[in-house]
Amino acid sequence: MAPPANPEFPTVQQLILNPRAERRLKLGHLWIYSNEVDTQRSPLKGLAPGSQCEILDSKENSLGYALVNPNQLICARLVSRKGPFTRKQLHRRLENALALRQRYFPHPSYRMVYGDSDGLPGLVVDRFGDYLVVQISSWGMENLLPDIVDGLVALVNPKGILLRNDHQGRKVEELPEVCEVVHGEVPKMAPFEENGVALLAPVFEGQKTGWFYDHRENRARLNQWVKGQRVLDLFSYAGGWGVQALANGAKEVTCVDASGQALDWCEENAALHNRKDDLITIQGKAIDAMKELINAGERYDAIVLDPPAFIKRRKDQKSGEAAYRHINELALRLLEKNGLLVSASCSMHLESDTLLEILRGAGRHLDKSINIIGSGGQGADHPIHPAIPETRYLKAHFVHLSAGGNV
């Protein structure tokens, strides 16, 4: 269980920035890099991870207050421009985050808190109706966990809150990994709704919080075009795309994933809509499965290509772009004429225009005529901070394959 709440968040000391290092912060960004700190005047060494510091420019004018981790490249994140960050501010940020989601979503199924965009760096909260799943990836939010839990309980009175702090992001900050219920009770499969489709999220054993809400609007767009179609859902996970396609009248859906457990979850979600018999599952690597389907002469009316991030770091750019091109070429080869490919990427380092160029190149290489009939990004529950481009990561292009060849 979470420890009792602290009465206040103390300010530890001041951090002074190098000359001109404040320019990005004054434009609205919230991150401070360790090489921007004047460590001669204000050493980082010795600061407790998660402590709060006042940030000063080189002339010692206050820029605000930040939660720090002296051992990381991003050594501090601003949380308040006027005075120390307090529990009252924390609870107000949670209220504001909830108000945004309630404004745009009729059903309580969404990402309720999205880190920096909601002024709570390192905190993610996903809501599945009566249940919340919390993930923390910074010492600053880790130290505020009791107050976060108190605030969430006061706001939405959930039946249960699950702490899914067993992810890779914890290792970067050198945080302990834990998965535990910190309030009430939480079922292994949490019921929720997306685009009017009833689903179950494997919140204890699934990836991240158990679900990926970010593609909600892109899935809604695909759902209107799948009736009577054969659909191939690659990197399917628990069936976010494929099961929704079945629920919206797809004739048949094939889900491909390396995880047998994920495919079991696909079947469980399909069974909710009495469509399990129309679901085909293939366990294995997507590229291998695609090649086998090509050799077998299979063709699909709609294909979803929603892979994990191939470009996690800048140094992965060249190899990652090559990987995106390869899988998109394979997908185009599996597509029926007048078929639809949804080509997505969650790689922050891959620009939307670069993905378009990859698709153009894939079409030219295969002598296939393609048109982009739509593009999308993350939904309203993943709001983009206008000063922090890192909060914008998701892109999806809807590609129509024409019957004729290239001109």
Side-chain angles (χ1 to χ4, degrees), residues 38-59:
D38 186 340
T39 53
Q40 296 299 315
R41 299 165 69 188
S42 55
L44 283 166
K45 188 176 181 180
L47 291 179
S51 59
Q52 186 174 178
C53 287
E54 184 179 15
I55 306 300
L56 307 178
D57 65 17
S58 59
K59 296 179 181 179

Side-chain angles (χ1 to χ4, degrees), residues 14-290:
Q14 296 175 329
L15 280 181
I16 304 172
L17 303 185
N18 292 321
R20 294 181 295 279
E22 77 280 358
R23 288 181 297 181
R24 187 168 37 80
L25 300 179
K26 287 185 175 180
L27 291 173
H29 211 292
L30 304 177
W31 300 357
I32 298 161
Y33 294 91
S34 57
N35 58 8
E36 295 176 325
V37 177
D38 186 340
T39 53
Q40 296 299 315
R41 299 165 69 188
S42 55
L44 283 166
K45 188 176 181 180
L47 291 179
S51 59
Q52 186 174 178
C53 287
E54 184 179 15
I55 306 300
L56 307 178
D57 65 17
S58 59
K59 296 179 181 179
E60 299 192 20
N61 298 307
S62 181
L63 297 168
Y65 292 78
L67 301 177
V68 304
N69 187 340
N71 305 316
Q72 300 300 317
L73 176 61
I74 302 174
C75 67
R77 298 172 190 258
L78 280 179
V79 286
S80 175
R81 304 246 180 200
K82 298 179 181 179
F85 189 57
T86 65
R87 181 186 304 105
K88 183 177 181 181
Q89 285 178 288
L90 169 64
H91 288 181
R92 179 62 60 85
R93 301 265 171 95
L94 293 173
E95 290 173 7
N96 291 342
L98 177 62
L100 185 155
R101 278 69 181 181
Q102 290 179 328
R103 167 69 173 79
Y104 297 106
F105 299 100
H107 191 274
S109 301
Y110 39 66
R111 174 146 294 182
M112 182 174 155
V113 177
Y114 177 48
D116 290 289
S117 294
D118 289 303
L120 296 168
L123 176 65
V124 163
V125 181
D126 277 359
R127 187 176 186 184
F128 300 94
D130 292 323
Y131 306 98
L132 302 179
V133 180
V134 175
Q135 284 198 330
I136 289 173
S137 58
S138 72
W139 270 107
M141 289 298 116
E142 180 83 357
N143 290 346
L144 306 183
L145 175 59
D147 301 285
I148 291 168
V149 172
D150 285 351
L152 293 173
V153 171
L155 268 179
V156 300
N157 190 28
K159 291 182 179 179
I161 299 177
L162 173 65
L163 190 63
R164 275 296 306 271
N165 281 347
D166 54 353
H167 53 93
Q168 284 292 114
R170 303 275 293 182
K171 294 181 179 179
V172 176
E173 290 257 326
E174 300 178 347
L175 286 160
E177 295 186 27
V178 62
C179 177
E180 63 176 341
V181 175
V182 293
H183 173 78
E185 296 181 351
V186 179
K188 291 293 184 181
M189 301 291 285
F192 71 105
E193 180 182 301
E194 186 176 288
N195 297 322
V197 177
L199 295 160
L200 295 169
V203 292
F204 280 85
E205 299 176 342
Q207 297 179 31
K208 302 295 180 69
T209 63
W211 197 254
F212 296 94
Y213 278 126
D214 50 5
H215 268 302
R216 177 201 314 263
E217 293 178 8
N218 299 317
R219 290 172 181 143
R221 176 176 273 184
L222 177 65
N223 289 346
Q224 64 185 319
W225 294 322
V226 296
K227 188 173 183 179
Q229 306 287 293
R230 292 188 76 216
V231 178
L232 176 63
D233 181 7
L234 297 153
F235 305 96
S236 66
Y237 183 49
W241 296 89
V243 172
Q244 286 193 49
L246 283 172
N248 281 276
K251 177 182 178 181
E252 173 190 284
V253 171
T254 298
C255 285
V256 179
D257 200 276
S259 166
Q261 177 67 81
L263 296 174
D264 288 344
W265 294 327
C266 283
E267 292 181 348
E268 194 167 347
N269 275 316
L272 289 177
H273 304 277
N274 298 315
R275 297 299 306 276
K276 187 176 177 181
D277 291 343
D278 300 314
L279 176 70
I280 299 168
T281 61
I282 300 175
Q283 183 179 356
K285 293 182 178 180
I287 288 178
D288 294 339
M290 293 165 82

